[in-house]
Amino acid sequence: MAYMIRQSSRAPAVTAAIDPDPSLPKVCIIGAGSSGIAAAKTLYTSAIPFDCFEKGSEIGGTWLFDNPNGTSACYETLQINTSCPRMAFSDFPMPEHYPHYASHDQVFAYFRDYVEHFGFGHTITFNTEATDVRPGSRGGWDVDIVSESGFETRHYDYVMVANGHHWDARWPDPRISGSLRR
């Protein structure tokens, strides 16, 4: 059966804060585009502790025209090339009034509605760039971040890289065992 999200697929809104379970491993998400917000929503609703860092001042990644993060390939007339019911998140259909193929500003609005619906916008730290990820001396990963507050290194059990596929690939150097680098 083809993947097709219908309005009946919409999950209930998250209306109360979900506190992370400190006994679970902590995760770092790099990027708040489509994949980053999907990861953040899943971790948030599962009470898994995480930090999500977005280089720019807004979510949306590629779908934010003139994205201040400087890594979006969005242009003024960009539209999706997959129909809305097929592109939608599995628990959050795109609005019924959208055309079959949404414009970039409609996709961006859909992403903002998704973050609001599931109540995790407060978990995203904007204007913060992850500049380096390396194996930690005690296992896990050390992540260097730069923000308006300065530079710091944080330790995580896991890292999810969601920095987009329309930009330069960012491969680990040196190569880390198990990476998909070719």
Side-chain angles (χ1 to χ4, degrees):
M1 179 172 181
Y3 179 83
M4 183 86 80
I5 302 303
R6 294 174 169 50
Q7 293 303 314
S8 61
S9 302
R10 182 180 292 254
V14 174
T15 57
I18 299 172
D19 293 325
D21 179 346
S23 70
L24 296 173
K26 189 165 185 179
V27 179
C28 173
I29 302 169
I30 300 171
S34 60
S35 296
I37 63 173
K41 178 261 180 185
T42 300
L43 296 177
Y44 181 69
T45 58
S46 300
I48 297 171
F50 71 94
D51 291 323
C52 179
F53 300 116
E54 168 54 43
K55 182 178 174 180
S57 59
E58 241 326 333
I59 64 159
T62 293
W63 298 101
L64 177 57
F65 183 62
D66 283 338
N67 191 330
N69 73 12
T71 63
S72 174
C74 184
Y75 48 93
E76 198 165 356
T77 59
L78 180 64
Q79 290 184 282
I80 59 175
N81 62 1
T82 303
S83 68
C84 290
R86 293 186 191 279
M87 182 180 169
F89 293 119
S90 63
D91 54 0
F92 194 73
M94 287 196 177
E96 286 183 289
H97 68 274
Y98 274 21
H100 204 61
Y101 297 93
S103 63
H104 69 83
D105 56 320
Q106 290 169 319
V107 174
F108 173 70
Y110 167 74
F111 289 164
R112 284 204 340 226
D113 291 347
Y114 176 82
V115 170
E116 183 178 318
H117 183 82
F118 290 107
F120 64 92
H122 66 283
T123 67
I124 303 168
T125 305
F126 295 102
N127 300 309
T128 303
E129 181 179 8
T131 58
D132 190 41
V133 177
R134 61 192 171 282
S137 61
R138 60 187 195 267
W141 303 93
D142 289 334
V143 179
D144 293 342
I145 58 170
V146 178
S147 69
E148 295 164 345
S149 302
F151 171 88
E152 74 177 287
T153 299
R154 294 189 188 177
H155 183 79
Y156 296 93
D157 298 291
Y158 299 97
V159 175
M160 301 174 87
V161 179
N163 64 343
H165 69 280
H166 290 295
W167 191 244
D168 293 336
R170 298 190 178 148
W171 298 106
D173 186 23
R175 181 177 176 180
I176 296 170
S177 177
S179 72
L180 298 176
R181 188 175 183 178
R182 295 173 194 213

